[in-house]
Amino acid sequence: MQNLINFIWRNNYFFLFGILQFFSLWLVVDNSIFQRTALVNSSNTVSGSFLSIYNGVEKYFYLRHNNESLVAQNTKLLSENKSAYIATDKAEYSSNDSLYRHQFTYANAKVISNSVTKQNNYLILDKGSKMGIQKEMAVISPSGIIGIVKDVSPNFCSVISLLHQETRVNAKLTRTGFIGTVLWDGLDYRYVKLIDIPCHLNVRFGDTVITSGYSTIFPEGIKIGTVTVVNPNKNDNFYNITVKLFNDFNRVDYVYIIKNEFKSELDTLKSHLK
């Protein structure tokens, strides 16, 4: 206590000056409507700015939490969607059978690394073998196709992006059902090529391209993009088709990893056809 008293005594001029300043300000504000209004407005502006900053920070953390919650809910809905099942038409079946068998299961993941500027691009996700992730699983986002799982560690996995020159995806045009193959030419991360479509077929600007379901990796109907360029190729009888991707690969955040429960069985059958 004595030290506090000594401190105040040593700095008594400073404290006296502060008291007089506050008293003077109070007199000015109390006797002037203009000054009082200005002070109130200034106080509101300052407090409003602090509240705005606080609310912005608070909303950011809530937004991240809500995004993670929505991704988890969407994963559950995708796994329960009719497109995740395969039809099994049987004249007779027991009580344990169903008209549909679960073919595709979904797991959500967060992108922790991504590239779009290389000739062969990859992503790294925060899910691995501990979570049941395996090689050659499909990876999509709410906007469409992303790539295919390449390597898996206990807690992470690498993904060959659609923006990779070795990636080939079976695709079809929704309006006509024509089947082709989507690949990236290594130029612009916003566009891919649709090949193997003969020139005698009807292809239009704006046609939607989706996965065909012919592969054992991607389910049918996953969005890819829309046709922006359709030109006959001078060297053969096939179109040169450019497709603008629905996905913005520069802004991929959360994704879904898809497992085909019948992939091994289908791959075995296909290997016998070679």
Side-chain angles (χ1 to χ4, degrees):
M1 178 62 73
Q2 186 62 42
N3 291 334
L4 178 60
I5 295 173
N6 291 337
F7 173 77
I8 295 174
W9 179 255
R10 285 196 304 270
N11 298 278
N12 63 87
Y13 294 109
F14 172 78
F15 288 111
L16 179 61
F17 174 77
I19 293 171
L20 291 174
Q21 282 287 91
F22 176 79
F23 184 68
S24 300
L25 180 63
W26 178 79
L27 288 175
V28 171
V29 173
D30 188 60
N31 291 282
S32 172
I33 296 176
F34 174 77
Q35 297 294 343
R36 187 185 309 129
T37 304
L39 180 63
V40 170
N41 289 339
S42 299
S43 300
N44 288 340
T45 301
V46 173
S47 60
S49 298
F50 278 112
L51 286 174
S52 178
I53 294 171
Y54 173 79
N55 288 335
V57 173
E58 186 179 41
K59 285 182 179 179
Y60 171 78
F61 286 106
Y62 274 112
L63 181 62
R64 181 175 179 180
H65 171 75
N66 289 339
N67 282 341
E68 292 175 349
S69 177
L70 285 172
V71 169
Q73 292 177 29
N74 287 339
T75 303
K76 184 175 184 295
L77 291 173
L78 286 169
S79 293
E80 295 173 350
N81 191 280
K82 186 176 179 180
S83 64
Y85 292 77
I86 185 171
T88 57
D89 297 323
K90 297 173 62 177
E92 298 179 1
Y93 51 89
S94 67
S95 59
N96 292 326
D97 291 327
S98 173
L99 180 62
Y100 291 95
R101 288 179 295 166
H102 211 169
Q103 181 175 8
F104 297 101
T105 55
Y106 293 74
N108 61 284
K110 182 168 177 38
V111 177
I112 59 176
S113 178
N114 182 25
S115 64
V116 297
T117 59
K118 302 175 182 178
Q119 291 293 306
N120 297 311
N121 295 285
Y122 294 89
L123 300 92
I124 302 293
L125 310 181
D126 68 346
K127 293 291 189 296
S129 57
K130 287 183 178 180
M131 298 79 173
I133 307 304
Q134 302 171 1
K135 292 183 178 181
E136 295 189 341
M137 284 186 175
V139 180
I140 67 171
S141 80
S143 298
I145 188 171
I146 293 293
I148 302 170
V149 174
K150 181 180 184 295
D151 293 310
V152 181
S153 67
N155 297 294
F156 304 96
C157 67
S158 63
V159 176
I160 301 177
S161 172
L162 180 61
L163 309 179
H164 190 293
Q165 293 191 325
E166 293 183 5
T167 303
R168 300 288 187 275
V169 176
N170 291 318
K172 72 176 179 180
L173 296 158
T174 57
R175 185 176 60 86
T176 59
F178 299 148
I179 303 297
T181 302
V182 163
L183 54 85
W184 190 50
D185 58 7
L187 299 178
D188 190 327
Y189 71 88
R190 298 171 299 175
Y191 298 90
V192 292
K193 295 294 185 180
L194 177 63
I195 62 173
D196 301 332
I197 302 292
C199 288
H200 68 273
L201 299 178
N202 180 14
V203 181
R204 299 176 185 171
F205 175 88
D207 279 350
T208 301
V209 182
I210 61 174
T211 54
S212 66
Y214 283 6
S215 78
T216 60
I217 297 176
F218 289 98
E220 180 181 358
I222 303 299
K223 295 181 291 184
I224 298 176
T226 56
V227 173
T228 57
V229 176
V230 184
N231 289 322
N233 196 324
K234 297 179 180 179
N235 299 322
D236 53 36
N237 292 319
F238 293 90
Y239 283 118
N240 178 15
I241 301 174
T242 300
V243 176
K244 184 175 183 180
L245 295 169
F246 287 126
N247 257 325
D248 183 350
F249 275 79
N250 232 345
R251 303 178 62 182
V252 178
D253 191 7
Y254 289 96
V255 297
Y256 303 105
I257 305 173
I258 306 175
K259 179 182 180 181
N260 185 348
E261 300 291 348
F262 303 129
K263 185 178 186 305
S264 297
E265 180 180 345
L266 292 169
D267 284 342
T268 300
L269 285 174
K270 286 187 175 183
S271 67
H272 295 161
L273 301 176
K274 295 180 180 179

